């Protein structure tokens, strides 16, 4: 695995049009999106502004229930509340359910809950198809991406180049800093798994897949 460890105050949810390495910026891919329209489909909000104009990405996950009813189901959304200096993984279906101390001082990124500290919850989610986890091909092997946090308040932007299952990647993330009580969310994976460390390292998931958003690291602000 490779990861970037930084302060949550250095995170900027940034619109792009291309691969993460092609931007020249430091960071990784963001959440789920529609390839054809390049519409961000996971919650991706900073200081009450969506990463795409018009507020298109208001749902926790862009996938629908299996009955095609159009109802969005609950998905894990990682929230950094700068005013309260705290993280939360909120399992919600839309941005209108977010709880923050100051709407002008937070960021929220949607994905799929990892339940790193709760193996039974993870097993239940797999068996009950909660959060549409099965639409993210849990047993298939592919590059994976995650956003993690722990007791130290640092944020970890994590990818693996290796093709692994969701559970294998989850276990590796859980052991990344075992004493720090890590928790987090899966982000988009496979060819959407992308990372760039300018002048040092880049990975684009094995293809030139165009992304509409990334999680950028800026400012170098301390905790």
């Amino acid at each position: 695995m490779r990861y970037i460890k930084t302060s949550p105050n250095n995170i900027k949810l940034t619109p792009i049009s291309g691969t993460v390495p092609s931007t020249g910026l430091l960071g990784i891919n963001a959440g789920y999106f529609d390839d054809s329209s390049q519409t961000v489909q996971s919650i991706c909000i900073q200081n009450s502004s969506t990463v795409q104009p018009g507020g298109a990405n208001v749902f926790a996950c862009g996938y629908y229930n299996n009955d095609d009813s159009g109802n969005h189901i609950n998905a894990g959304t990682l929230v950094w509340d700068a005013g309260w200096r705290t993280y939360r993984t909120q399992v919600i279906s839309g941005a209108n359910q977010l709880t923050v101390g100051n709407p002008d001082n937070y960021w929220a990124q949607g994905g799929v809950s990892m339940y790193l500290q709760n193996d039974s919850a993870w097993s239940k989610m797999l068996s009950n198809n909660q959060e549409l986890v099965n639409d993210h091909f849990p047993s298939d092997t592919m590059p994976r991406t995650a956003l993690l946090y722990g007791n130290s308040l640092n944020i970890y932007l994590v990818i693996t180049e290796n093709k692994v299952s969701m559970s294998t990647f989850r276990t590796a993330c859980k052991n990344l800093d075992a004493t720090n009580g890590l928790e987090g969310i899966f982000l988009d994976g496979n060819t959407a798994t992308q990372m760039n460390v300018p002048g040092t390292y880049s990975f684009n998931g094995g293809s030139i897949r165009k992304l509409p958003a990334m999680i950028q690291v800026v400012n170098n602000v301390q905790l």
Side-chain angles (χ1 to χ4, degrees):
M1 292 198 304
R2 295 180 183 268
Y3 64 91
I4 301 165
K5 179 181 178 182
T6 188
S7 163
N9 296 316
N10 292 335
I11 296 300
K12 181 181 179 183
L13 305 177
T14 301
I16 64 173
S17 182
T19 66
V20 171
S22 71
T23 67
L25 303 173
L26 174 62
I28 64 171
N29 60 286
Y32 299 92
F33 64 98
D34 180 78
D35 272 300
S36 58
S37 66
Q38 286 290 289
T39 300
V40 174
Q41 292 185 317
S42 297
I43 286 175
C44 195
I45 298 175
Q46 190 148 23
N47 301 337
S48 296
S49 296
T50 56
V51 73
Q52 284 184 331
N57 52 317
V58 295
F59 296 108
C61 185
Y63 295 88
Y64 295 110
N65 284 338
N66 292 332
D67 61 3
D68 292 324
S69 65
N71 296 319
H72 286 259
I73 112 176
N74 290 339
T77 298
L78 198 164
V79 180
W80 166 248
D81 194 320
W84 290 346
R85 284 177 56 82
T86 186
Y87 293 101
R88 285 183 303 282
T89 301
Q90 295 183 228
V91 181
I92 57 177
S93 62
N96 62 339
Q97 299 168 25
L98 285 169
T99 300
V100 294
N102 182 349
D104 295 319
N105 197 11
Y106 80 99
W107 54 261
Q109 175 62 62
V112 173
S113 294
M114 300 184 85
Y115 293 113
L116 296 182
Q117 303 303 314
N118 191 334
D119 291 343
S120 62
W122 169 249
S123 297
K124 181 178 180 181
M125 188 171 76
L126 285 176
S127 63
N128 293 345
N129 197 25
Q130 294 178 44
E131 303 188 44
L132 295 181
V133 68
N134 288 335
D135 284 340
H136 303 289
F137 312 104
S139 60
D140 288 1
T141 59
M142 62 183 70
R144 302 280 180 175
T145 313
L147 196 59
L148 310 178
Y149 62 92
N151 299 328
S152 69
L153 293 187
N154 287 298
I155 192 83
Y156 300 75
L157 291 69
V158 187
I159 71 161
T160 178
E161 300 173 359
N162 297 329
K163 295 182 178 181
V164 296
S165 68
M166 261 186 157
S167 291
T168 298
F169 183 53
R170 176 182 176 272
T171 298
C173 287
K174 188 174 182 179
N175 295 328
L176 179 65
D177 189 352
T179 63
N180 198 14
L182 294 179
E183 195 49 86
I185 58 171
F186 294 99
L187 297 173
D188 206 351
N190 203 5
T191 51
T193 291
Q194 300 182 12
M195 175 183 279
N196 191 56
V197 180
T200 302
Y201 170 80
S202 66
F203 179 71
N204 63 7
S207 74
I208 311 299
R209 187 178 181 187
K210 185 179 177 181
L211 308 184
M214 68 177 286
I215 301 172
Q216 183 186 356
V217 178
V218 296
N219 300 330
N220 196 29
V221 175
Q222 298 300 309
L223 284 168

